Structures are given as C-alpha cells and as structure tokens.
Amino acid sequence: MQYNVAIVGVSGAVGQEFLRVLDQQDFPIGELRLFGSERSAGKIATFREQEYTIHQLKEGDDFRGIDFAFVSAGADVSRRYADTITRHGALMIDNSSAFRMDADVPLVVPEVNGTDALNAPRNIIANPNCTTIQMVVTLAPIHRLSPITRVHIATYQAASGAGAAAMEELVEQNREIVSGDAVTVDKFAYQLAYNVIPQIDVFTDNGYTKEEMKMYNETRKIMHAPEIEVSAMCVRVPVLRAHSEAVWVHTAEHLTPEAVRQAMAQAPGIIVLDDPASRTYPMPLTLTGQDPVYVGRIRADIADPNGITYWCVSDQIKKGAALNAVQIAQYIINNSDK
C-alpha cells in the first residue's frame, strides 16, 4: 500500500532531511506534495529522480487526500495552518513546539511510547525536542530495569539545532578567523566558532532556558512518568551536526553498569560504543548522518549509590527531527490495524 505525503517547510534543513530519510527508509509514497514559504514557492526539489515544484503554504484544500503531513516550519506556522492541514483527514506530524504539551496531542518517540501515536484525536502528533528524543531513547531501557526518579543532563548541541543558516554561519566564522577577518555573528548571541554558549532559547523565570524546560516537561510526558525530575544545562558548541549529552540517572534500585550496558545493547534504536581501553566512545565527528542513538562511557556514578552515568550522541537532524517523525508514521502503518 502507498501513502500520500506532504512536507511543509521543505526548503529548511529538516525539510530537506525529510526527503532524504523518506528515500532511505523506502517509505511507500504514492503522491508527494511540497510546501514552503512565499520565498520558496516555485522552486524545484528532486525526490527519487523526479522533480517537484514547491508550493506556497496557504489556507485551502491543498491537503485533501494526504495521509501524512510532515511539518517543520516553526511553531507559529504550525498553529496557524493546523486546521488547514488536518481538516480532510491528514495526520500532521509536527516538528515544532506548538502542540507538544497539549493533553490531546501525543508526543511520541516510537522506541519509548509508540502506542501513543495510535490515538491522535486532533489528527496531530508532536515530534519532541531533539535533545529530549535522544535522551529518552537511552532512558527507556534503564527505566525498564528500575524506575528512574531523577536525571541530570548537560547537552553539547551542534549548530544544526538552529537550522541550515546557523551551520553556514559556523563554517563562515571559521573561515573568517583563519583569514583574519571580522567574524560575522547573526544566528547566535555570540561567536560560536572557538567558543561554547551556555544558552539555548530564552531564559524563563526560574533561571532555566526554554530548551532546558522542554527536556523537563517532555521527558515526563513521553515516559508517562510525572515523578521523574529532570535538570538540564543546554550548551551550544562549535559542531556542525549531531548533539552530544552527558547524562546522570538515579534509579529506585541499584543497577550495575554491566546490566545497563546489556539493556541498552538490546534496546531498539541504540548502538553501544563503549570500550575505554581502545578509546571507543561516540563522537559527533564520526556519527553525523547516522540513524541510531550511540551510547558510551557507561559507568557507576561514584557520587550516587543508585546512580548510572553515560554519554550519548545522535544526529539532531535525523533521529532528533526528520527520522523520528518518519518512524512515527511507520509505526502507525505497521500497528494501526493490530
């Protein structure tokens, strides 16, 4: 069976990744419709050796007959056009923050709570924040061994999290530094090259940024575990693609690193790269463009008798965005009649 697919925001970094991921996953597409801003309208995109014209997103009946609409054009666009996209039955899989915490919109990472995707009363499913996605994929096998009560996390987030223009700015900044030219700063609050910036998104009243609060709120919703406390420090680093995270987990019962390592190795969506003797551990340089979440440095937390700590890396544009959304659709296709 084939499915009619729409991509909204196809010209952006995640929109382009949707095209690549749909092809790589051999997604069964009947009709493909591409949408973008007024600036993108009329341009041509190529998918499976066929050219498609990008249409301007507008209110109307352009989504009639669409089965899955992958949307990555920002929260304002998602909120404005949600009714247009879904009114004729299309399932909107939204990559923005617009609907993530709405009670009647499932927030889904298929390896963790895939069954939630089978009940979407508004025909909207939210794709979680990129940092949350890779973290909960790694938390799930631990939580199955013993309930998690507390998580501390420090993120090392690539420029890709701020979009294609931000990646281009990082490359340009490095060129400018080498050439001795003035450094262009536009997409970030400060120069990112040769620097780290301990702020992603705006600050909230409690001193945490919105990015950090997303990890707190989304983790609890995805894992159906409001008792889990999550404290995050989110940092932008001068890496093009693939986010890294250092994670400290406290569980109700004592777990050995060996048990956690085995559980992660057997869990879907995870590859364990963990051999300190051979300096084997995940790094964004070597794992950009890969599908799974990679985990290493798994060890007991010497400051917490019931603590485990580890390091994980995942491509933000793939598993952290486009791939997770496509996997949601695949999960629905494979399970909706069961």
Side-chain angles (χ1 to χ4, degrees), residues 27 35 45 65-66 68 70 73 76 94-95 114 116 122 130 141 147 181 219 222 227 234 255 288 290 305 331:
F27 196 90
F35 297 91
I66 291 296
F68 296 103
F70 299 104
D76 290 342
D94 184 52
N95 195 54
D116 289 0
R122 290 166 59 185
C130 52
D181 298 330
T219 298
I222 295 165
E227 70 279 5
C234 293
L255 298 176
T288 289
Q290 301 301 307
Y331 185 94

Side-chain angles (χ1 to χ4, degrees), residues 212-243:
E212 292 157 355
M213 292 309 300
K214 288 174 188 176
M215 300 192 75
Y216 176 85
N217 291 311
E218 293 178 19
T219 298
R220 292 149 68 99
K221 181 175 180 178
I222 295 165
M223 297 185 69
H224 299 171
E227 70 279 5
I228 296 179
E229 299 294 342
V230 181
S231 180
M233 172 72 79
C234 293
V235 181
R236 187 76 68 191
V237 297
V239 170
L240 275 180
R241 275 181 68 156
H243 291 349

Side-chain angles (χ1 to χ4, degrees), residues 19-20 22-23 29 32 45-52:
L19 292 174
R20 285 188 286 269
L22 287 165
D23 189 35
I29 294 178
L32 178 64
T46 302
F47 178 74
R48 293 177 180 168
E49 300 183 347
Q50 184 173 341
E51 292 186 342
Y52 294 85

Side-chain angles (χ1 to χ4, degrees), residues 17-322:
E17 197 68 24
F18 274 130
L19 292 174
R20 285 188 286 269
V21 169
L22 287 165
D23 189 35
Q24 291 167 357
Q25 295 289 313
D26 197 24
F27 196 90
I29 294 178
E31 181 183 354
L32 178 64
R33 301 180 204 168
L34 307 181
F35 297 91
S37 63
E38 183 178 1
R39 183 177 59 183
S40 300
K43 294 182 179 178
I44 301 297
T46 302
F47 178 74
R48 293 177 180 168
E49 300 183 347
Q50 184 173 341
E51 292 186 342
Y52 294 85
T53 300
I54 300 174
H55 301 283
Q56 182 178 349
L57 181 64
K58 55 187 178 182
E59 295 173 358
D61 292 336
D62 287 339
F63 292 84
R64 187 187 295 273
I66 291 296
D67 297 300
F68 296 103
F70 299 104
V71 182
S72 186
D76 290 342
V77 170
S78 291
R79 280 189 286 263
R80 177 178 174 183
Y81 291 97
D83 289 342
T84 293
I85 293 169
T86 61
R87 71 165 59 115
H88 296 296
L91 181 67
M92 176 179 176
I93 302 178
D94 184 52
N95 195 54
S96 80
S97 61
F99 308 107
R100 287 175 183 157
M101 298 313 299
D102 289 10
D104 54 356
V105 173
L107 183 69
V108 177
V109 177
E111 298 92 333
V112 183
N113 66 327
T115 55
D116 289 0
L118 304 180
N119 181 24
R122 290 166 59 185
N123 271 8
I124 301 172
I125 296 176
N127 210 29
N129 189 45
C130 52
T131 49
T132 305
I133 289 174
Q134 76 180 74
M135 181 177 73
V136 298
V137 168
T138 63
L139 293 180
I142 300 175
H143 197 58
R144 287 191 286 268
L145 293 176
S146 177
I148 294 171
T149 59
R150 187 173 64 249
V151 179
H152 288 91
I153 180 167
T155 72
Y156 305 78
Q157 296 180 223
S160 56
M167 297 168 68
E168 293 169 3
E169 179 168 299
L170 176 58
V171 172
E172 184 61 26
Q173 285 180 352
N174 281 285
R175 291 197 189 104
E176 290 166 342
I177 291 169
V178 171
S179 301
D181 298 330
V183 175
T184 300
V185 178
D186 180 37
K187 297 301 178 182
F188 301 105
Y190 298 95
Q191 172 186 317
L192 183 58
Y194 296 12
N195 192 25
V196 297
I197 303 173
Q199 177 189 354
I200 298 177
D201 215 322
V202 299
F203 286 100
T204 64
D205 291 341
N206 65 2
Y208 284 74
T209 64
K210 286 181 67 176
E211 183 85 353
E212 292 157 355
M213 292 309 300
K214 288 174 188 176
M215 300 192 75
Y216 176 85
N217 291 311
E218 293 178 19
T219 298
R220 292 149 68 99
K221 181 175 180 178
I222 295 165
M223 297 185 69
H224 299 171
E227 70 279 5
I228 296 179
E229 299 294 342
V230 181
S231 180
M233 172 72 79
C234 293
V235 181
R236 187 76 68 191
V237 297
V239 170
L240 275 180
R241 275 181 68 156
H243 291 349
S244 303
E245 298 176 349
V247 188
W248 291 261
V249 178
H250 178 87
T251 55
E253 301 167 348
H254 173 75
L255 298 176
T256 65
E258 292 74 21
V260 171
R261 189 176 293 109
Q262 182 178 5
M264 285 188 170
Q266 295 173 347
I270 296 176
I271 291 181
V272 174
L273 296 177
D274 190 15
D275 183 13
S278 62
R279 300 179 184 177
T280 300
Y281 33 70
M283 294 182 293
L285 180 65
T286 54
L287 299 178
T288 289
Q290 301 301 307
D291 290 353
V293 178
Y294 293 82
V295 183
R297 299 294 315 276
I298 302 168
R299 60 202 191 278
D301 184 348
I302 60 174
D304 180 0
N306 280 20
I308 290 289
T309 183
Y310 58 90
W311 172 260
C312 66
V313 174
S314 187
D315 189 310
Q316 174 272 332
I317 305 179
K318 292 204 82 174
K319 182 55 182 171

